[in-house]
Structure formats: C-alpha cells, structure tokens
Amino acid sequence: MSEWFTVEKIDSQTFAISEYKHWEETHCYLLCGEESAVLIDTGLGVSNIREIVDSLTKLPVMVVTTHIHWDHIGGHKYFDNIAVHEKEKNWLSVRFPIPMQVVKDNLAKIPCNFPPEFDINAYQVFQGEPQKILHDGDLLDLGGRVIQVIHTPGHSPGHCCFYEQGRKYLYSGDLVYKGCLYAFYPTTDPQLFYQSVKQVQKFKIERIMPGHHELNIPVSLINTIEAGFAQLERNGQLKQGNGLFEFGEFQIQI
C-alpha cells in the first residue's frame, strides 16, 4: 500500500487521510455510518487513495466534494459515486477552468518525493459526470450519522462545507484553515468568501476539519478569519487585486 498518505483516527468512525509529503498538505476525510460512508475530497491524485479507503471500511462509499480544484478531486478517478455542488457540475463534467500547465506548475512548485508510480507529464485533472448534485441544506444520511451540506461560495462558486450536528464537526475545505486563504483567481469572490465565513459562525462547532495544513486548529480561528475579512472590508480593500494580507496565523490573498 502507498506510503504517500498518512491516516489519523479522529474517532472510531472518522479518519483523516493526509498528504503531508506535498507542500499543500491536503486532508481528505472518511466518515463511516452504519450503512454507508462518505469520503470528503480525494486529494491530489498522485497515489491511489482508494486503497487506503478500502483498508479502513467495507461500506459503500460516496465521494462528496468541497469544490472542484485539482488538489481536492485528484482521486475521484478511483470512485464511481461522486457528488458535487450544482454550481460546479460543469467544472467536473465539461471543462475545468484552470489551464493544465498552471496545475502542473502548482503541483511541482516545491520539490517533494512523489510516489514512484506518479508521472507529472501524464497528470490530468479528473473529468466525469457526477452521480449526485448537492444543494445547500441537503442532508446525507449514512445510517446513524447525518451530514449537512453548507454552500459556502467565495473560494469557488460551488464550494461547500459539511457540518455534522451529532459530533459538532465542521469539514471546512478551503474556507477555514491555517495558511493562505485564496480569493484572487478569476473564479473567486472575496466578498462571498467573507459572507461564507460569517455563515459558518452560526453553527455550533467543537472541531474543525480543514482542507489543508495543520489538522488540529482552534474553533476560534473562524472568528479570527472573520475579523480579518471585516478589517479589509472596512478599509475598502476586500476586492481582487489588492494583494496579500498577513493576519498572524493566516493570510488572505485577493
């Protein structure tokens, strides 16, 4: 089995599957219920995440996607039951909006020991038809475990977070993490990003499961990020092209 991934047990039914060897340090999350499981994102796609998932559960697995960026859908090719928000269906099934060379440059930006089976020249962003379309407020019932879809646009038009009321977990994708929050792409919207951070503040959260970097982050980071966006808005700077802003444990690039 690939040594590319690191598996960390969050609880008896929840696992983080991480790619710490790459500079993006992506996290995917396997959530197991009594009847089925969901895998939130599939990472970079440089190694076979399906092998890891199959070693952790024998339940039927549906992949649910925080958003259609290469570092979150790389392993979609190993699954045949994929869900995506309605606003990014065409990104998955028709045309990915970022040029392939930009993706490859990003993958190789900082040298790392890719697994031997990985050939960056042959790398492609996954394209395919989703089997399920997600909408804000949808509930995914895994049997004794229910996951709520929260549409949180800004980083991308169809970005979603996933909330689990029973455990008070927020799977935050690229909305909340320690590091640089990106809102400078043509398909990003810093104003919507700010509104989405305010939206997740309304939920009772005891643990955040971020899409990148440090896994154990304080719930208070949501409020810290909201305060950063609020400051930029007060200063008239919350619009694309204004650059990189430092806020201690995170940055905002717009």
Side-chain angles (χ1 to χ4, degrees):
M1 189 178 297
S2 173
E3 297 180 358
W4 175 255
F5 298 102
T6 300
V7 177
E8 295 168 80
K9 188 175 182 179
I10 306 299
D11 60 45
S12 63
Q13 295 177 297
T14 311
F15 303 88
I17 305 172
S18 308
E19 296 177 280
Y20 288 118
K21 295 181 180 182
H22 189 265
W23 71 268
E24 290 199 72
E25 297 179 315
T26 63
H27 301 299
C28 308
Y29 297 95
L30 179 65
L31 287 54
C32 300
E34 295 170 3
E35 299 171 3
S36 63
V38 296
L39 177 63
I40 299 176
D41 291 341
T42 59
L44 295 162
V46 305
S47 190
N48 190 341
I49 193 171
R50 181 64 184 261
E51 293 179 352
I52 305 298
V53 170
D54 287 348
S55 74
L56 295 170
T57 185
K58 302 305 178 188
L59 293 166
V61 177
M62 177 172 67
V63 168
V64 296
T65 316
T66 59
H67 61 298
I68 307 299
H69 281 171
W70 65 90
D71 49 331
H72 297 263
I73 64 168
H76 278 35
K77 61 189 174 184
Y78 299 113
F79 298 87
D80 56 12
N81 189 8
I82 295 168
V84 60
H85 190 270
E86 57 185 335
K87 286 191 176 293
E88 292 182 13
K89 175 184 181 296
N90 286 347
W91 286 17
L92 194 72
S93 61
V94 180
R95 183 178 181 274
F96 185 68
I98 299 172
M100 180 54 60
Q101 193 56 51
V102 173
V103 173
K104 290 181 178 180
D105 290 347
N106 190 284
L107 272 173
K109 183 167 73 171
I110 298 175
C112 71
N113 292 321
F114 283 118
E117 68 270 19
F118 177 64
D119 178 6
I120 195 166
N121 295 316
Y123 187 84
Q124 295 291 325
V125 174
F126 175 82
Q127 295 273 262
E129 286 288 338
Q131 284 65 51
K132 183 177 179 63
I133 301 299
L134 302 175
H135 310 87
D136 185 53
D138 282 354
L139 299 177
L140 308 174
D141 189 346
L142 311 183
R145 190 171 191 182
V146 177
I147 312 300
Q148 179 180 342
V149 179
I150 312 170
H151 181 213
T152 49
H155 178 70
S156 69
H159 187 284
C160 291
C161 293
F162 299 94
Y163 178 66
E164 186 171 5
Q165 185 175 11
R167 287 171 167 80
K168 297 179 176 57
Y169 290 170
L170 179 74
Y171 304 89
S172 63
D174 280 10
L175 186 75
V176 176
Y177 59 80
K178 278 190 179 181
C180 187
L181 303 175
Y182 297 121
F184 66 91
Y185 297 116
T187 52
T188 57
D189 185 322
Q191 287 286 344
L192 285 178
F193 204 129
Y194 177 32
Q195 295 304 315
S196 291
V197 173
K198 290 200 289 185
Q199 183 183 2
V200 299
Q201 281 183 309
K202 301 172 185 176
F203 290 82
K204 187 169 184 180
I205 299 164
E206 294 185 359
R207 181 158 184 175
I208 301 170
M209 309 291 180
H212 295 277
H213 306 311
E214 188 175 330
L215 189 62
N216 296 307
I217 60 177
V219 174
S220 61
L221 183 62
I222 298 173
N223 294 335
T224 306
I225 290 172
E226 189 276 335
F229 274 103
Q231 179 181 324
L232 292 177
E233 185 177 57
R234 286 193 302 270
N235 295 342
Q237 296 172 308
L238 194 56
K239 51 189 176 182
Q240 285 181 328
N242 276 334
L244 179 65
F245 298 88
E246 297 275 350
F247 295 95
E249 56 193 348
F250 73 98
Q251 303 87 41
I252 300 173
Q253 187 171 2
I254 57 177

